[in-house]
Amino acid sequence: MSSTPQLSARMKAPFSDNRYILEGTCLAFYQNETGISNEAELKKHILSVAAKTYDEYAYPYITAFAFTQMRIIDMPMYQKVLELGRTRADALFLDLACGFGNILRKVVADGWPVENAIASDLNAGLWSYGHELFKSTAESFPAALILGDVFDPAFIAPRAPFIDTDPGLDSNLTPVDPRSLTSLTPLQGRLSAIHTSLFFHLFTEAEQLIIAQRLASLLAPTPGAVIFGEHTGKPEAGLYTHLMCASGSMFCHSPASWTALWDGEVFEHGTVRVDCGLGEMYNDWGHHHGFSRLWWCVTRL
């Protein structure tokens, strides 16, 4: 089972820049990261890299330019997440399904130590294109890159979430250099913050539970440790017909079903707080959607 499901051939459309928007905080971020201050030159550079990437990978979020919109900064929990990086020694941040690495770069730009920042994806090529996009190298942006499939037990070993009295957890939490790792399993019970967006909704309801369980195993058993992100959702959980998926439909959680999944199914009931809500409608793929942006944060108590 691949952590990047096949996209429907019906979704493969010619690359277009008609949904390119870059302004405000997002514009300033890209100008600072790339060193290109001229807006016309910056747009030309971004379009060039995006077109090459889309030709190879054809993911809808590329031609939708979702990677230029830093929606993470509008999430209610974002400042609290950054506080973890400032106040907890050796706190580790993971961005799962990182793509170009734009979110991880924003987190680092906002203060999270780059040596404690981890990117993970199935495709090394997307990360390489990210270096081209941001005009960086592994030396100038030395975040760890750990490649693998979230469903592969050799990449994240199946297990229950750690608790603070678990004998399998090193009580001293000896620091681990993520750049030396080839899987996420050695990081189980060690991560202070995990982010993943535009990812869960690519999978079936059963597969979404597996992903949640794998991420829960990585989270540190300390109050305040968080897993957060966003994906598509609905007021009432259920299937929605969607051209993006090869099966022709996707399973969308509601705030109520998403809360129940984490608080009671993934984690023991009452050991986490789940904050989530539905935001603006998506229209990233150029047709009407019957679902909304589901933002969420799971915090250990």
Side-chain angles (χ1 to χ4, degrees):
M1 182 187 300
S2 169
S3 62
T4 304
Q6 283 292 108
L7 300 177
S8 167
R10 293 173 293 174
M11 282 303 300
K12 175 62 174 174
F15 181 81
S16 170
D17 68 351
N18 62 0
R19 278 168 279 168
Y20 176 90
I21 299 175
L22 192 60
E23 56 191 12
T25 300
C26 298
L27 171 61
F29 169 75
Y30 268 86
Q31 288 173 322
N32 290 335
E33 292 294 308
T34 63
I36 304 174
S37 59
N38 181 276
E39 290 189 43
E41 292 181 8
L42 179 59
K43 179 178 180 179
K44 181 179 179 180
H45 170 68
I46 292 174
L47 292 180
S48 173
V49 177
K52 287 191 297 183
T53 310
Y54 185 68
D55 184 61
E56 184 172 351
Y57 292 103
Y59 295 144
Y61 77 86
I62 298 172
T63 193
F65 294 95
F67 62 91
T68 65
Q69 304 306 303
M70 300 296 161
R71 286 193 283 249
I72 189 174
I73 65 178
D74 297 322
M75 293 182 184
M77 72 293 295
Y78 184 54
Q79 293 304 318
K80 291 184 178 179
V81 170
L82 293 178
E83 186 68 16
L84 292 174
R86 290 192 292 266
T87 60
R88 295 193 177 182
D90 300 314
L92 297 174
F93 184 103
L94 169 68
D95 186 21
L96 183 74
C98 64
F100 288 123
N102 49 295
I103 293 298
L104 194 66
R105 290 169 185 271
K106 177 59 177 169
V107 170
V108 169
D110 287 343
W112 199 286
V114 69
E115 64 271 17
N116 294 334
I118 307 163
S120 184
D121 205 286
L122 190 65
N123 300 304
L126 290 172
W127 185 254
S128 296
Y129 279 124
H131 276 306
E132 183 177 352
L133 177 65
F134 291 101
K135 292 184 172 292
S136 63
T137 66
E139 291 70 36
S140 64
F141 187 74
L145 174 64
I146 306 177
L147 299 171
D149 188 329
V150 70
F151 294 106
D152 183 356
F155 185 60
I156 306 178
R159 61 149 295 142
F162 279 95
I163 58 176
D164 56 8
T165 58
D166 197 311
L169 183 65
D170 180 358
S171 60
N172 295 318
L173 285 180
T174 304
V176 172
D177 183 358
R179 289 165 293 191
S180 68
L181 302 178
T182 57
S183 80
L184 293 177
T185 296
L187 295 174
Q188 287 182 314
R190 291 176 173 270
L191 300 182
S192 293
I194 302 170
H195 168 268
T196 187
S197 285
L198 305 183
F199 184 60
F200 270 98
H201 61 212
L202 300 177
F203 303 93
T204 67
E205 181 179 9
E207 289 167 346
Q208 290 184 44
L209 172 60
I210 294 172
I211 297 170
Q213 291 170 330
R214 299 287 168 87
L215 295 186
S217 76
L218 298 170
L219 200 62
T222 53
V226 299
I227 307 173
F228 72 108
E230 66 170 24
H231 54 268
T232 53
K234 297 177 64 179
E236 299 293 334
L239 288 174
Y240 184 82
T241 301
H242 194 343
L243 297 177
M244 185 180 69
C245 299
S247 65
S249 64
M250 62 163 57
F251 181 82
C252 298
H253 272 284
S254 68
S257 68
W258 192 245
T259 298
L261 178 136
W262 290 97
D263 185 13
E265 195 164 1
V266 175
F267 289 98
E268 183 179 348
H269 179 65
T271 63
V272 295
R273 184 184 72 247
V274 182
D275 299 296
C276 61
L278 294 176
E280 75 277 7
M281 298 293 288
Y282 281 123
N283 193 27
D284 287 345
W285 292 280
H287 53 79
H288 176 70
H289 286 191
F291 44 71
S292 304
R293 170 192 182 192
L294 176 66
W295 62 264
W296 52 275
C297 182
V298 180
T299 307
R300 298 200 79 155
L301 301 176

